[in-house]
Amino acid sequence: MIIYIREQSGKTTAIKADPADTTQAVRIKIMQKGISMKDKDLMYFDVKLVSTKRLSDYGIKHMDTLYLKTGLLHLGSSGFLLSVAQPSGGVVKVVVNDFDCVVDVKQELAREGGPEVPKQRLKAGGVEMHNEKRLRDYGITGEAVIWMESADDIEKKEREARIIKTIKNKKIRKILGAVIFLIIFIIILIWAYAKDKIKLNVRMKSVF
């Protein structure tokens, strides 16, 4: 079905959704349209939608409109600085709240000149952070440092690792081939020596 998202500016955007979608899934779809959900609540008339509930729980149907409003909880929160370390060695600092979703952070990083949202990979304590999760889900409730990689960098590293593995496998195959050849050569020498010895013994017996 199609539902409409109306921002406070009056701009309306259509998105595809399913009655079984959770509010959080809808928030992700909205952000994929380039709309920031930072400090925003999703409303159906005057009802604030809970992230874990489904659209069907609110009776939301095809062609219905949802509204984005600045949340009162967000207005009363000062937020904190989150440091994002990059492979280049640089560090980007963004202001966040612990209820922000990971994808909110990615959007901020994209606005700061970082990779596009789909190409970002964020990690906290070695664990990859998922878009729909909130910072508090990873224990981030105050100033912290997380790590960012781009999908392009990861793909490049994986490609380099595959090339190195292929080269190593070729070297191993060459070494094994040489060893097998040497073993066969030795066997042939032993066989030839044994055969000649047998012939020599037969000749010596025939002489005597």
Side-chain angles (χ1 to χ4, degrees):
M1 66 181 184
I2 299 294
I3 58 175
Y4 295 100
I5 309 300
R6 187 176 179 83
E7 300 176 60
Q8 288 178 297
S9 64
K11 180 182 177 182
T12 301
T13 303
I15 65 168
K16 290 183 179 180
D18 188 276
D21 285 344
T22 62
T23 299
Q24 186 59 30
V26 174
R27 289 176 68 91
I28 298 298
K29 290 180 179 181
I30 294 171
M31 286 185 278
Q32 288 173 342
K33 291 284 188 178
I35 301 172
S36 175
M37 293 295 292
K38 186 175 176 62
D39 301 340
K40 299 292 192 306
D41 286 331
L42 195 57
M43 312 287 293
Y44 183 52
F45 294 108
D46 292 327
V47 178
K48 177 183 174 181
L49 306 189
V50 178
S51 61
T52 55
K53 288 193 174 183
R54 303 178 185 278
L55 296 183
S56 57
D57 295 334
Y58 296 98
I60 297 171
K61 304 178 293 299
H62 178 60
M63 304 295 282
D64 277 350
T65 299
L66 304 183
Y67 298 85
L68 289 182
K69 293 184 179 180
T70 302
L72 294 177
L73 173 64
H74 306 321
L75 287 174
S77 177
S78 58
F80 56 87
L81 278 177
L82 179 67
S83 299
V84 184
Q86 300 175 306
S88 62
V91 176
V92 178
K93 295 182 180 290
V94 292
V95 178
V96 297
N97 291 287
D98 59 0
F99 49 76
D100 282 343
C101 291
V102 173
V103 73
D104 291 325
V105 178
K106 288 183 177 182
Q107 285 189 328
E108 288 295 321
L109 292 172
R111 280 192 282 272
E112 292 291 333
E116 297 175 359
V117 171
K119 292 187 176 183
Q120 292 182 39
R121 298 290 184 273
L122 300 183
K123 290 184 178 181
V127 178
E128 183 167 349
M129 305 171 74
H130 299 287
N131 286 345
E132 69 279 5
K133 296 283 189 180
R134 298 183 184 276
L135 294 180
R136 66 173 69 175
D137 296 330
Y138 294 98
I140 300 174
T141 56
E143 291 192 11
V145 179
I146 62 175
W147 178 263
M148 179 183 74
E149 288 184 335
S150 73
D152 291 340
D153 290 336
I154 294 173
E155 184 179 347
K156 182 180 178 181
K157 288 180 180 178
E158 290 176 347
R159 185 167 58 249
E160 289 174 349
R162 287 194 298 269
I163 292 172
I164 292 172
K165 185 178 180 180
T166 300
I167 292 172
K168 286 182 177 179
N169 288 338
K170 285 181 178 179
K171 287 182 178 179
I172 291 172
R173 283 197 295 269
K174 285 182 178 179
I175 292 171
L176 287 175
V179 171
I180 292 171
F181 176 79
L182 182 59
I183 292 172
I184 292 173
F185 181 71
I186 292 171
I187 292 173
I188 291 173
L189 286 178
I190 294 173
W191 175 80
Y193 174 77
K195 186 176 180 181
D196 289 341
K197 190 173 181 181
I198 293 171
K199 285 181 179 180
L200 181 61
N201 288 337
V202 171
R203 286 174 184 171
M204 290 179 66
K205 286 180 180 180
S206 64
V207 170
F208 294 102

